[in-house]
Amino acid sequence: MTLKSLSILSCCLALARCMAFDTDPDQGGPALTPAQIAKLSRTVISIRVEQTHRVALGVVVRATGMALVPAEAFSNGLATRTSSGQVIPNYVSQATIAVVLHDGAAVAARLVNIDPRTGLAAIQLALPPDARLAAVEPIDELRIAPGQKAAVIAQGRKPMEAVFTGSVAVGIDSATRQYLPLVEFHVQELATGLGGAAIFTMDGKFAGMVRAQETAGTVIINRPQATWFALSGKLVARVADGFSKEPFKVRHRWIGVECQSAANAQGAVVGRIAFNGPGQAAGLFPGDVIIAAGGKVIRSAADLAAVVFDQDEGALIEIKVLRNRLPITTRLKVAVQESPP
């Protein structure tokens, strides 16, 4: 798809501005008004990367022109597998980026950095010195209820009605083997290529950034909807904060321990422990079964990762483990890992 075709697609957005969703008051509150749709639509963009010939959607996260887009737009199609089994895509180091704004205007942008863990890339749009754009406003503790309705908004497309299937799901990315807080939702029509779109609650709050689809490209008989996942607004905010100031890296919480879920949801089994990492300093050993952390019961590796994700850098958390079936309590200091340069 060319930049010209992207601009043509953006014209469809004008039609979307005259629509509002019919929403059950018990499931998501009042419908978005045409004025709200028009306002939220100003926060989304689309891009084309010349070197990879890839097109992607994106979300403006800073009024000064910083936006987040799927990092796969910069992938050269190759990947590297680490010693721990993580699959890290290879990205182009220099990129010529053409951006289409909500109104079809075209601007250039430069790549700021890429965060492999979340699969997000930050780009900086080339704006006049005093120019400002509408940007999403992530909310740390946005509460989402099952059955609550939402709107998926993307540049060049009409808004799509969606339904949240839960609050924040705990997910382990199959490639990076890292925890990501994901919001699961259904769209009420079959759609593809929504990665990078924004999802909003029916009162206009930013709920997350669409990341991946469970049923991509598959037509499900008697099921006119598809399951998608979005990076939570809280995670998007962390990535945006990291990329907004030098050294332009995202600081992810880290305890230097790789775990697997124990059988029968009985905890997180410690595997690889980083040398001189927080886990080693806390006295953990391979084979320990973590059953509680930070005052919360741990039933799986994802449970433990979720607790770590929510901690402040440098926080001390109490860890309860079973070692040879004997209970042991220790304290662990949460550190950070930065996205690569």
Side-chain angles (χ1 to χ4, degrees):
M1 185 178 291
T2 65
L3 182 60
K4 179 179 179 181
S5 61
L6 279 175
S7 298
I8 294 174
L9 281 175
S10 69
C11 295
C12 297
L13 194 59
L15 297 176
R17 291 173 182 168
C18 66
M19 65 171 289
F21 297 109
D22 293 324
T23 306
D24 184 342
D26 295 330
Q27 294 189 340
L32 287 172
T33 66
Q36 286 177 307
I37 293 174
K39 179 180 178 180
L40 298 178
S41 296
R42 290 196 289 270
T43 66
V44 296
I45 62 170
S46 60
I47 72 166
R48 185 181 188 278
V49 180
E50 181 177 319
Q51 286 75 6
T52 63
H53 307 289
R54 295 177 185 264
V55 174
L57 302 172
V59 177
V60 178
V61 292
R62 292 290 185 271
T64 51
M66 192 177 81
L68 297 180
V69 299
E72 65 181 2
F74 302 93
S75 172
N76 60 13
L78 303 176
T80 301
R81 183 178 295 274
T82 68
S83 59
S84 61
Q86 296 180 16
V87 178
I88 307 298
N90 294 339
Y91 303 105
V92 296
S93 57
Q94 300 291 330
T96 303
I97 308 167
V99 179
V100 178
L101 302 180
H102 71 283
D103 58 359
V107 299
R110 62 177 176 83
L111 177 63
V112 176
N113 206 344
I114 291 174
D115 180 39
R117 176 166 176 174
T118 58
L120 291 178
I123 62 173
Q124 178 61 47
L125 279 60
L127 301 176
D130 297 330
R132 294 293 181 268
L133 298 177
V136 297
E137 299 178 2
I139 300 174
D140 278 354
E141 301 300 333
L142 180 62
R143 294 187 179 276
I144 297 173
Q148 181 178 341
K149 290 189 177 182
V152 177
I153 296 182
Q155 195 281 334
R157 302 189 182 197
K158 69 177 183 179
M160 298 174 60
E161 185 174 310
V163 177
F164 293 115
T165 59
S167 54
V168 176
V170 288
I172 301 293
D173 185 274
S174 60
T176 64
R177 297 188 179 182
Q178 298 284 354
Y179 164 84
L180 294 173
L182 303 174
V183 179
E184 182 182 349
F185 63 95
H186 293 316
V187 292
Q188 300 305 302
E189 56 188 280
L190 291 174
T192 58
L194 289 179
I199 182 167
F200 297 91
T201 62
M202 281 301 182
D203 56 358
K205 293 183 173 64
F206 177 68
M209 187 172 173
V210 181
R211 182 172 190 267
Q213 185 184 13
E214 180 186 62
T215 57
T218 302
V219 177
I220 302 177
I221 299 176
N222 296 326
R223 185 183 175 190
Q225 60 185 13
T227 300
W228 292 77
F229 294 92
L231 299 169
S232 71
K234 184 175 184 177
L235 180 55
V236 171
R238 181 175 295 179
V239 174
D241 289 344
F243 285 145
S244 294
K245 53 185 179 297
E246 292 185 358
F248 308 112
K249 298 179 180 181
V250 183
R251 298 171 66 83
H252 293 290
R253 282 31 170 189
W254 178 71
I255 60 172
V257 173
E258 292 184 13
C259 294
Q260 293 184 340
S261 298
N264 302 319
Q266 296 298 314
V269 181
V270 175
R272 185 190 301 265
I273 300 176
F275 180 69
N276 284 338
Q280 186 181 66
L284 296 179
F285 287 90
D288 286 348
V289 181
I290 299 175
I291 57 174
K296 296 184 178 180
V297 175
I298 301 301
R299 295 184 174 86
S300 66
D303 284 351
L304 175 62
V307 169
V308 174
F309 177 87
D310 286 334
Q311 303 301 314
D312 293 329
E313 180 181 346
L316 284 173
I317 58 175
E318 185 176 84
I319 303 288
K320 295 182 179 180
V321 306
L322 294 178
R323 181 176 299 162
N324 298 324
R325 299 185 179 181
L326 297 177
I328 297 174
T329 300
T330 184
R331 291 171 68 83
L332 182 149
K333 185 175 182 179
V334 178
V336 295
Q337 275 187 324
E338 292 184 335
S339 54

